[in-house]
Amino acid sequence: ACKDFLRKFVDNELLTASLEDWFSGDSEDCGFRKPAFDVPFDLAELQNFDYALEGVTFQQLVRMPNALHASTSDVFEATAHLALEDFLHAGIKGLWEAFWGPEEAMPFSVACIHSTSSRFYPAEKAIGSGKLDGVCATAVLLKNSKHSQGRWDHIVVLALLRPDIGMVSVQSDQHLSPAVLGEALFFALRVLLSRSLSRSSTVLRNSDSVYVLLVDSQFGGVVNVQGDLNKLNFDLNNVYECAAEWIKKDAKITVSSVDRVWNKLGNANWGDIGTLQVLLAVYHSMVQFCGAPKYSLDELATEHSSRLQSRRSERHLVDRQSNGNGLFRFQQRSHSPEIVEVQEEGTVDVKPDEILKLEIGSIVFMEDSNCQKGFQINDIRTESEPPIYGAVPVEEPTKSYLLYVGSSPSHLEPAWEDMNSWYQVQRQTKVLTLMKQRDISSRYIPQMVASGRVGHPGPCNKPNSSGSCGHPLCSTPILVTSPVGETISNLIRNGLFGVEEALRCCHDCLSALAAASSAGIRHGDIRPENVIRVSNGSRQPHFVLIGWGHAILEDRDRPLMNLFFSSTFALQEGKLCAASDAESLIYLLYFSCGGVCPELDSVEGALQWRETSWSRRVIQQKLGDVAAVLKAFADYVDSLCGTPYPMDYEIWLRRFRRTINEDHGKEVDTSS
């Protein structure tokens, strides 16, 4: 019945005529006067998508012609079809390489559809064979070796090139005309019906939602149709009335605003709302057929923060004393959020209101998937922003943990959020979870005890698990880890970091790096605040490398830039080499053992200091005053810096174990 229904469902004008009363609001039986359509994407989604695409290059080579300057209508129409195809090809190519990676071959192609034969072929072929008048749409298709000519059920997303869409929408207050919208609904239903008849399980899974793009030579919009085709009445004697009834009562239709896609020169405005709407529709369609991408949209969007930081470094705006993370400080006010200027010599200390501040003695409740747990705050372990707390579980007061609290959900744009807390809580939770999944177990790496959201008193009516009910504490992320210890910063301040501590710190941090590197994970943020000394009563104290929020999991991940502790390769290239973490560890030991702390205010100055210090062997000599093995290790790291050669962790771990045992007569725990 569905196949016969689809065979008869061929005239978009008859469907539009059946929907005419509904469009105009004169229908008596549709339950409401005139349909008011929601938008498929809100502004926050588009902004997040914009941040994700910030580093992505799109290149449309065939320019979209301008109707005002077209020489003849035939030439204009032919060039417009070629430009639309090139635009779609550039879009899917850029999206595929950004989200799925350039390693895999792109499984999509672009082709035109002929109205009479329903055959697919490139616009150039249609123009060459004189069949351009019969082209009714342009489609992004899923490649299939068995059906190289293309099929309707392989359509991923459909684009309709129609004249004056922008002009009509302006005249009708940014709304599409009934004729254009009716045609979009016709093609959407044809695609859904074709998918429902497919033998492919991948296609069948997506027979309830389709995006249709509507464009002219300047403007564009998006229509999304969702619905259960099982509710469609397949009456072969009443095809268009049945289709219209399904659209009115059973389909969910969302329609975007019509915005500019191409400028007057025919180039796509890749970063503007009109183009972003089209690209986001294409992205969701690609996810339908290819599954979740290798790099999530949220992951790519968060790289905006590191790019901001790099830009500030380029412009020499980084101020280590007042703003260590290199990002702007924002203050949320009740009337309007605005940037707050921090005077260099003043004492103004602007802190984001979104970060939850906990007092010593207070109890915070954490909700996870299983139950609610309470933790009492004992102390504040670090003075950094955001702080790290020492806490004990209410039900097990003999245990001690580190507790991280993130930013509460904010209505500000993502770029205004405090990214420090996001890396410290959400990203570190992801990294520690990944380590657990990959069976990385080491006493020198923190263990995740629990993660979840802060519970709050009173009723909670948040719309979903990731939303917020409006309470200041609702959905604030929280992470609990073990063990607890003193940071190297505190040890140095109290004069407790000596020769033995330096040797053990180097051995233990190398052990942590070796364990993580076995699963392809690098730390990327080694500094005194991210190494703690743990004392377990009778057992020998050991060091644990914490702060894994900026860990490098993929090649596209970028490390945190630190003028004092980042490796040379990280400062030059914005990424890590195999020896980068070890180089950062050398700087940590150098400064911790009394090395002269230079005045660094730019990346160029930091690179110059590194070049001078290594070439004059200042670092090696200082570490040699502490222990010969540290000097030898510094020479080894210097020989590897910037090269692709891997670190030989095992040989250096053996040397450090032997040195500690010989010099101090104490065993190093190697159980991990």
Side-chain angles (χ1 to χ4, degrees):
C2 180
K3 186 181 293 185
D4 293 335
F5 188 95
L6 179 60
R7 194 176 291 119
K8 286 194 170 189
F9 189 64
V10 293
D11 194 329
N12 71 82
E13 293 181 357
L14 290 178
L15 176 65
T16 303
S18 300
L19 293 169
E20 188 174 353
D21 291 343
W22 185 60
F23 285 141
S24 63
D26 295 332
S27 176
E28 297 292 335
D29 59 350
C30 62
F32 50 89
R33 297 291 292 169
K34 192 173 182 179
F37 301 112
D38 290 331
V39 294
F41 317 115
D42 59 32
L43 185 59
E45 286 181 274
L46 292 171
Q47 286 174 326
N48 200 46
F49 190 55
D50 179 38
Y51 289 130
L53 297 183
E54 206 167 47
V56 182
T57 301
F58 297 96
Q59 189 176 32
Q60 180 182 347
L61 298 178
V62 181
R63 304 293 191 259
M64 180 63 76
N66 192 315
L68 296 176
H69 305 103
S71 54
T72 67
S73 60
D74 290 342
V75 172
F76 169 80
E77 186 179 2
T79 309
H81 278 286
L82 291 172
L84 177 58
E85 274 195 358
D86 198 53
F87 168 79
L88 290 174
H89 174 79
I92 59 175
K93 181 176 183 289
L95 292 173
W96 179 261
E97 292 181 354
F99 291 97
W100 282 268
E103 302 84 13
E104 300 290 334
M106 185 176 68
F108 303 107
S109 61
V110 182
C112 290
I113 309 173
H114 200 271
S115 56
T116 55
S117 64
S118 289
R119 294 186 62 188
F120 299 82
Y121 35 71
E124 281 191 8
K125 187 174 180 181
I127 295 167
S129 58
K131 297 180 179 179
L132 188 61
D133 289 342
V135 170
C136 62
T138 303
V140 175
L141 296 164
L142 187 67
K143 291 180 181 177
N144 189 308
S145 56
K146 295 181 180 178
H147 304 282
S148 57
Q149 296 297 322
R151 290 160 47 111
W152 272 80
D153 57 321
H154 293 157
I155 293 176
V156 178
V157 65
L158 202 64
L160 307 182
L161 179 63
R162 299 294 181 264
D164 300 327
I165 284 178
M167 185 69 69
V168 173
S169 69
V170 169
Q171 294 172 353
S172 58
D173 192 25
Q174 291 296 310
H175 292 106
L176 294 167
S177 68
V180 172
L181 184 54
E183 190 175 11
L185 296 176
F186 167 80
F187 278 102
L189 186 51
R190 272 199 67 88
V191 173
L192 292 179
L193 288 167
S194 300
R195 289 181 184 176
S196 69
L197 293 170
S198 177
R199 295 178 181 178
S200 167
S201 59
T202 302
V203 175
L204 281 172
R205 281 200 308 271
N206 300 301
S207 59
D208 60 352
S209 177
V210 65
Y211 286 93
V212 177
L213 315 177
L214 298 168
V215 298
D216 60 17
S217 61
Q218 291 179 294
F219 297 87
V222 175
V223 176
N224 177 234
V225 179
Q226 300 180 39
D228 184 1
L229 289 179
N230 292 320
K231 297 180 180 179
L232 175 60
N233 180 16
F234 295 104
D235 184 352
L236 301 182
N237 298 318
N238 238 347
V239 169
Y240 296 98
E241 287 76 9
C242 290
E245 195 68 16
W246 181 83
I247 289 171
K248 294 175 188 177
K249 295 185 177 180
D250 299 309
K252 178 186 177 183
I253 300 166
T254 52
V255 182
S256 76
S257 61
V258 175
D259 286 278
R260 182 175 285 276
V261 175
W262 291 277
N263 61 26
K264 292 181 180 179
L265 291 175
N267 298 302
N269 297 322
W270 296 107
D272 212 348
I273 284 182
T275 314
L276 287 173
Q277 289 180 151
V278 171
L279 287 177
L280 190 51
V282 173
Y283 167 78
H284 284 304
S285 302
M286 293 166 70
V287 171
Q288 276 186 303
F289 282 82
C290 293
K294 184 177 181 181
Y295 311 107
S296 74
L297 198 153
D298 288 335
E299 280 181 319
L300 292 188
T302 56
E303 291 186 7
H304 175 76
S305 172
S306 61
R307 283 189 286 267
L308 271 179
Q309 190 172 343
S310 298
R311 176 59 52 83
R312 283 176 56 76
S313 296
E314 286 175 17
R315 299 180 57 210
H316 302 178
L317 297 176
V318 176
D319 184 351
R320 189 169 64 94
Q321 275 69 37
S322 65
N323 190 5
N325 64 356
L327 297 179
F328 296 102
R329 293 292 193 188
F330 293 91
Q331 185 175 27
Q332 185 177 356
R333 301 178 183 272
S334 57
H335 53 280
S336 65
E338 60 184 42
I339 300 176
V340 177
E341 181 179 358
V342 181
Q343 301 296 332
E344 287 187 7
E345 297 181 359
T347 58
V348 180
D349 188 17
V350 181
K351 293 181 171 59
D353 291 345
E354 296 88 3
I355 298 178
L356 174 64
K357 301 293 185 182
L358 301 177
E359 297 180 356
I360 295 176
S362 62
I363 296 178
V364 59
F365 288 95
M366 184 190 70
E367 297 176 344
D368 61 13
S369 57
N370 300 321
C371 60
Q372 187 179 78
K373 303 174 183 178
F375 296 90
Q376 183 173 14
I377 306 302
N378 275 359
D379 57 2
I380 300 175
R381 310 296 298 190
T382 66
E383 298 175 358
S384 59
E385 284 291 346
I388 304 174
Y389 302 95
V392 297
V394 174
E395 297 179 355
E396 300 176 278
T398 58
K399 295 184 177 180
S400 296
Y401 299 126
L402 291 181
L403 187 142
Y404 303 82
V405 179
S407 297
S408 59
S410 169
H411 296 295
L412 298 172
E413 287 85 353
W416 292 18
E417 305 240 325
D418 182 10
M419 293 308 298
N420 246 7
S421 65
W422 183 88
Y423 278 105
Q424 193 181 72
V425 182
Q426 288 101 312
R427 183 93 191 320
Q428 184 167 206
T429 300
K430 174 184 175 179
V431 174
L432 295 181
T433 301
L434 185 64
M435 287 183 174
K436 187 175 182 180
Q437 292 171 348
R438 295 182 180 178
D439 294 325
I440 299 176
S441 177
S442 171
R443 69 192 297 247
Y444 309 111
I445 294 177
Q447 302 298 309
M448 185 172 68
V449 176
S451 67
R453 304 278 175 173
V454 174
H456 64 81
C460 181
N461 56 354
K462 60 184 177 183
N464 52 56
S465 59
S466 61
S468 172
C469 70
H471 190 284
L473 302 182
C474 187
S475 292
T476 298
I478 190 171
L479 170 65
V480 181
T481 67
S482 174
V484 174
E486 285 291 320
T487 64
I488 287 184
S489 301
N490 288 339
L491 295 177
I492 295 171
R493 192 179 299 116
N494 297 322
L496 300 175
F497 194 84
V499 175
E500 182 178 344
E501 284 74 23
L503 290 169
R504 287 194 174 276
C505 175
C506 192
H507 169 273
D508 297 352
C509 288
L510 279 181
S511 297
L513 296 176
S517 67
S518 66
I521 299 174
R522 295 170 185 167
H523 190 279
D525 187 23
I526 295 179
R527 49 193 171 90
E529 294 77 16
N530 280 341
V531 182
I532 59 174
R533 186 181 68 172
V534 179
S535 300
N536 291 328
S538 60
R539 296 187 68 180
Q540 183 68 31
H542 67 281
F543 290 85
V544 175
L545 185 56
I546 64 172
W548 290 83
H550 286 275
I552 306 303
L553 308 178
E554 305 279 354
D555 288 339
R556 66 172 57 245
D557 291 340
R558 294 293 176 261
L560 184 68
M561 293 297 178
N562 189 303
L563 298 181
F564 290 85
F565 299 103
S566 289
S567 68
T568 304
F569 194 76
L571 293 177
Q572 289 175 330
E573 305 294 333
K575 50 188 176 182
L576 302 187
C577 67
S580 286
D581 279 336
E583 184 181 346
S584 295
L585 180 58
I586 291 293
Y587 297 139
L588 181 149
L589 294 170
Y590 171 76
F591 291 123
S592 300
C593 294
V596 177
C597 188
E599 290 291 333
L600 301 179
D601 58 4
S602 68
V603 173
E604 290 82 0
L607 290 171
Q608 182 63 44
W609 175 81
R610 282 159 172 74
E611 181 181 358
T612 303
S613 299
W614 284 110
S615 62
R616 295 180 180 177
R617 300 185 60 76
V618 174
I619 295 173
Q620 295 95 315
Q621 289 172 9
K622 183 62 183 178
L623 293 180
D625 294 340
V626 179
V629 69
L630 287 178
K631 180 180 180 181
F633 180 61
D635 278 325
Y636 172 73
V637 171
D638 184 31
S639 69
L640 285 184
C641 288
T643 71
Y645 302 116
M647 283 279 301
D648 189 341
Y649 288 103
E650 188 54 39
I651 188 173
W652 286 101
L653 288 173
R654 285 200 303 268
R655 291 189 66 175
F656 276 105
R657 281 197 291 268
R658 187 165 59 244
T659 302
I660 293 172
N661 292 339
E662 288 176 355
D663 292 353
H664 306 282
K666 297 172 183 176
E667 291 294 327
V668 176
D669 188 330
T670 61
S671 59
S672 62

